[in-house]
């Protein structure tokens, strides 16, 4: 018999899904990047074939939103958003319309001047990636100066009381044994929140074994996060990338719930309307250049809101399905006949 | 209303903290709204005309500043605290006229505040 807690959370997810209130929107405002990382969540490139999306095109799309949710956040993502010189203008226009905004950055161009101009323009949250100590971070970034630059950016961001700031780390073969030292480094820089990811084998990461954790290492990562959360000196958590079974209550603030297409939407560089930018682009539900953005949000997104189609491959007979529902949506790529990564299975195998 | 009540009960039963706010995998945390909008216009007390190029800053922290535009207007977001002191300083010499600095205490703690500032000529 399932626990009351589990039953209540399943019902809670159903209500949230039925309501599908949009309150978190990614804007892939550029796919240009100043780095050439070994892994990239969006698989962007220095020689992006897309022009940056003009601010007015994006504004026309979000002006269709009716009954905006409180604390609606628009997240600038890329590519590297700081390559746009009009970010401050974009931010001010969003605030004028009652949206809050934030940014995901590699930190390379985040200097003193930009820090204050972005705050002056109403930036309220920021995420910066740090993928290891100096050698392992620079290896991932393919850049020998990146570590020093990102540390400067982290110091600046952590010094602001009004910024809800966190650092994210993609855990891989090169940095799995550095996690304690990375934590000490972040504490020394006064960082209050740290999110840990693993890398799913898509894009540039698909053929690089150094980027994937073994099952045993994944369990080590779960144990590390669970242990560090007890000390409360920094808010450490595992990202929402997947369902982690027995570790659910130990590594996050809330049980797993992939909100892609339920509360999370996106406007991608070509105008596509989708959910998180790392989701297979074939799931796009419309395009801002041909469709009314909010009508698409309200009336489409069926594959996101009814995930029964994910009961295939190894998910078909899985006993954890009701709590996992096919894992994070970004784990469905290509022919979508099987989930790309099953975190629960990794834990089962890694614990054996 | 009824749905919201049910939602909150289920949220409580599943031990999902009332304060819990989600963040997407590759996204940022949500903005908690710790800032406020400070905007307004700076004019000359003598002529009533707008003044361009006045530095508007939060006193005590020179890092946060903007300068007024052609219409004497400014807009910035500052940290949200009581008795915010906003400074208005003529930093461009005689280029747009010469004016005395002014420091204005803002007691209003609402989400946004509009300031109409008249600067005296420098003697």
């Amino acid at each position: 018999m399932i626990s009351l807690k589990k039953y209540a959370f399943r019902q809670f997810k159903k209500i949230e899904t039925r309501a599908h209130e949009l309150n978190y929107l990614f804007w892939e405002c550029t796919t240009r990047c100043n780095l050439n990382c070994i892994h990239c969540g969006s698989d962007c490139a220095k020689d992006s074939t897309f022009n940056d999306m003009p601010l007015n095109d994006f504004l026309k799309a979000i002006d269709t939103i009716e009954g905006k949710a409180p604390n609606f956040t628009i997240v600038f993502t890329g590519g590297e958003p700081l390559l746009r010189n009009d970010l401050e203008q974009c931010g001010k226009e969003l605030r004028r319309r009652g949206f809050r905004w934030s940014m995901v950055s590699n930190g390379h161009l985040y200097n003193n001047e930009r820090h204050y101009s972005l705050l002056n323009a109403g930036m309220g949250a920021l995420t910066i990636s740090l993928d290891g100590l100096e050698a392992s971070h620079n290896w991932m970034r393919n850049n020998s100066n990146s570590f020093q630059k990102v540390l400067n950016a982290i110091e600046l961001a952590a010094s602001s009381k009004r910024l809800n700031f966190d650092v994210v780390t993609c855990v891989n073969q090169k940095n799995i044994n550095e996690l304690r030292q990375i934590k000490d480094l972040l504490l020394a820089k006064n960082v209050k929140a740290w999110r840990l990811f693993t890398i799913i084998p898509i894009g540039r990461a698909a053929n690089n074994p150094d980027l994937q954790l073994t099952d045993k290492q994944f369990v080590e990562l779960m144990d590390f996060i669970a242990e560090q959360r007890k000390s409360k000196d920094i808010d450490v958590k595992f990202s929402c990338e997947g369902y982690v079974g027995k570790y659910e209550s130990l590594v996050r603030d809330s049980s797993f719930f992939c909100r892609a297409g339920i509360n999370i939407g996106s406007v991608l560089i070509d105008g596509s309307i989708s959910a998180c930018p790392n989701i297979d682009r074939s799931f796009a539900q419309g395009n801002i250049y041909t469709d009314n953005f909010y009508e698409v949000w309200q009336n489409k997104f069926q594959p996101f809101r009814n995930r029964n189609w994910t009961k295939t491959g190894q998910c078909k007979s899985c006993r954890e399905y009701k709590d996992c529902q096919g894992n994070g949506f970004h784990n469905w790529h290509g022919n979508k006949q099987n989930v790309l990564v099953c975190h629960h299975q990794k834990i089962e195998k890694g614990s054996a | 209303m009824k749905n919201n009540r049910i939602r909150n009960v289920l949220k409580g039963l599943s031990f999902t903290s009332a304060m819990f706010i989600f963040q997407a995998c590759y996204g940022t945390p949500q903005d908690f709204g710790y800032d406020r909008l400070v905007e307004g216009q700076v004019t000359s007390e003598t002529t009533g005309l707008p003044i361009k190029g006045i530095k508007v800053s939060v006193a005590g922290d020179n890092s946060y500043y903007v300068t007024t535009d052609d219409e004497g207007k400014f807009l910035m977001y500052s940290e949200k605290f009581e008795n915010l002191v906003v400074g208005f300083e003529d930093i461009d010499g005689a280029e747009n006229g010469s004016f005395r600095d002014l420091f204005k205490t803002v007691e209003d703690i609402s989400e946004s505040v509009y300031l109409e500032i008249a600067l005296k000529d420098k003697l």
Side-chain angles (χ1 to χ4, degrees):
Chain A
M1 197 172 137
I2 63 161
S3 69
L4 176 64
K5 180 184 170 184
K6 266 192 178 178
Y7 175 78
F9 196 68
R10 286 177 192 171
Q11 298 308 311
F12 170 70
K13 285 196 291 186
K14 280 183 190 167
I15 289 181
E16 290 284 276
T17 304
R18 214 173 297 140
H20 57 81
E21 179 187 72
L22 177 65
N23 56 26
Y24 197 98
L25 181 68
F26 284 100
W27 179 27
E28 193 178 52
C29 59
T30 182
T31 44
R32 290 182 295 136
C33 190
N34 49 346
L35 292 173
N36 185 24
C37 302
I38 288 175
H39 155 70
C40 176
S42 64
D43 224 28
C44 52
K46 273 183 179 172
D47 54 351
S48 168
T49 52
F50 291 102
N51 293 325
D52 296 355
M53 182 180 287
L55 171 61
N56 279 337
D57 295 359
F58 181 66
L59 293 177
K60 275 183 202 159
I62 61 166
D63 282 346
T64 63
I65 297 171
E66 296 166 13
K68 188 171 59 58
N71 293 324
F72 194 124
T73 299
I74 291 174
V75 183
F76 295 176
T77 183
E80 173 51 43
L82 287 173
L83 287 173
R84 283 184 72 129
N85 292 325
D86 65 346
L87 273 192
E88 288 81 353
Q89 189 200 343
C90 298
K92 283 179 183 172
E93 284 299 329
L94 295 180
R95 290 296 297 264
R96 196 200 303 276
R97 285 164 161 77
F99 295 99
R100 298 200 164 273
W101 69 274
S102 60
M103 179 177 68
V104 179
S105 171
N106 62 35
H108 205 74
L109 295 172
Y110 197 86
N111 57 21
N112 204 51
E113 190 186 351
R114 211 72 203 270
H115 172 64
Y116 289 110
S117 68
L118 291 165
L119 288 174
N120 283 342
M123 180 173 70
L126 174 67
T127 291
I128 290 178
S129 306
L130 173 72
D131 285 332
L133 299 176
E134 185 157 12
S136 47
H137 175 88
N138 286 345
W139 166 77
M140 177 77 98
R141 292 284 170 278
N142 252 332
N143 185 297
S144 57
N145 298 319
S146 178
F147 182 75
Q148 203 48 55
K149 295 221 172 192
V150 81
L151 279 195
N152 293 342
I154 286 170
E155 262 180 35
L156 269 172
S159 69
S160 172
K161 287 180 192 154
R162 66 164 122 156
L163 202 54
N164 194 4
F165 165 62
D166 75 353
V167 169
V168 296
T169 299
C170 290
V171 183
N172 59 69
Q173 290 288 336
K174 300 268 186 185
N175 65 17
I176 179 92
N177 295 319
E178 297 175 346
L179 296 179
R180 280 170 208 281
Q181 292 155 280
I182 298 169
K183 182 191 164 191
D184 290 342
L185 178 66
L186 295 179
L187 283 172
K189 299 291 177 192
N190 208 24
V191 173
K192 302 282 190 285
W194 184 28
R195 244 181 319 151
L196 297 159
F197 288 81
T198 61
I199 300 168
I200 62 164
I202 55 174
R204 277 174 242 168
N207 301 312
N208 191 334
D210 278 341
L211 295 176
Q212 310 301 322
L213 296 183
T214 65
D215 298 339
K216 200 164 180 299
Q217 285 171 324
F218 187 73
V219 171
E220 281 171 28
L221 173 63
M222 293 295 104
D223 287 336
F224 171 78
I225 297 172
E227 184 196 329
Q228 299 307 317
R229 282 174 68 83
K230 289 179 193 161
S231 69
K232 298 188 189 305
D233 46 6
I234 186 168
D235 176 18
V236 190
K237 58 169 82 83
F238 185 52
S239 78
C240 65
E241 68 185 61
Y243 174 74
V244 289
K246 65 184 180 185
Y247 285 97
E248 276 296 311
S249 61
L250 303 175
V251 296
R252 291 196 200 98
D253 298 335
S254 174
S255 300
F256 175 68
F257 180 13
C258 175
R259 293 177 185 259
I262 294 166
N263 304 104
I264 303 167
S266 68
V267 172
L268 303 174
I269 191 71
D270 62 352
S272 295
I273 301 167
S274 187
C276 305
N278 57 346
I279 284 172
D280 191 307
R281 305 252 156 160
S282 66
F283 283 110
Q285 300 292 300
N287 192 295
I288 61 163
Y289 293 110
T290 51
D291 302 305
N292 176 303
F293 171 78
Y294 197 59
E295 277 179 18
V296 171
W297 175 260
Q298 288 292 67
N299 302 321
K300 293 200 172 179
F301 281 88
Q302 283 82 7
F304 295 83
R305 294 168 192 167
N306 180 350
R307 301 198 183 181
N308 284 341
W309 62 269
T310 62
K311 269 188 182 173
T312 183
Q314 69 192 88
C315 296
K316 194 172 184 179
S317 54
C318 180
R319 289 167 61 185
E320 304 284 328
Y321 186 83
K322 281 188 177 170
D323 297 310
C324 173
Q325 293 183 297
N327 217 7
F329 205 98
H330 60 269
N331 281 292
W332 292 87
H333 277 255
N335 65 12
K336 305 170 186 78
Q337 290 306 301
N338 199 13
V339 67
L340 211 52
V341 176
C342 172
H343 296 77
H344 178 252
Q345 189 182 58
K346 282 181 91 68
I347 290 167
E348 295 281 295
K349 286 183 178 172
S351 304
Chain B
M1 185 67 89
K2 189 183 164 198
N3 272 351
N4 259 349
R5 258 203 309 270
I6 296 170
R7 176 182 178 271
N8 287 335
V9 168
L10 291 170
K11 203 173 178 184
L13 286 173
S14 61
F15 300 100
T16 302
S17 157
M19 292 302 291
F20 171 71
I21 297 175
F22 73 92
Q23 59 194 112
C25 300
Y26 281 86
T28 67
Q30 290 211 337
D31 174 1
F32 289 136
Y34 292 152
D35 64 4
R36 65 189 312 205
L37 172 64
V38 181
E39 61 179 332
Q41 187 180 32
V42 181
T43 55
S44 158
E45 189 179 270
T46 310
T47 65
L49 294 171
I51 313 171
K52 181 187 174 186
I54 297 294
K55 176 183 172 184
V56 184
S57 63
V58 175
D61 191 343
N62 268 331
S63 312
Y64 298 103
Y65 77 90
V66 290
T67 51
T68 56
D69 63 15
D70 289 345
E71 295 176 353
K73 291 186 174 167
F74 65 92
L75 180 156
M76 68 187 292
Y77 290 85
S78 80
E79 232 164 86
K80 198 187 272 180
F81 52 82
E82 286 178 31
N83 295 323
L84 180 78
V85 178
V86 184
F88 299 87
E89 299 166 82
D90 184 353
I91 54 167
D92 61 1
E95 194 177 328
N96 295 294
S98 295
F99 300 91
R100 287 158 67 177
D101 297 345
L102 184 145
F103 292 88
K104 167 99 178 161
T105 302
V106 182
E107 289 169 359
D108 184 354
I109 54 160
S110 53
E111 289 288 309
S112 66
V113 60
Y114 191 90
L115 303 174
E116 287 180 353
I117 301 295
L119 295 184
K120 292 180 190 300
D121 289 340
K122 202 173 255 179
L123 297 176

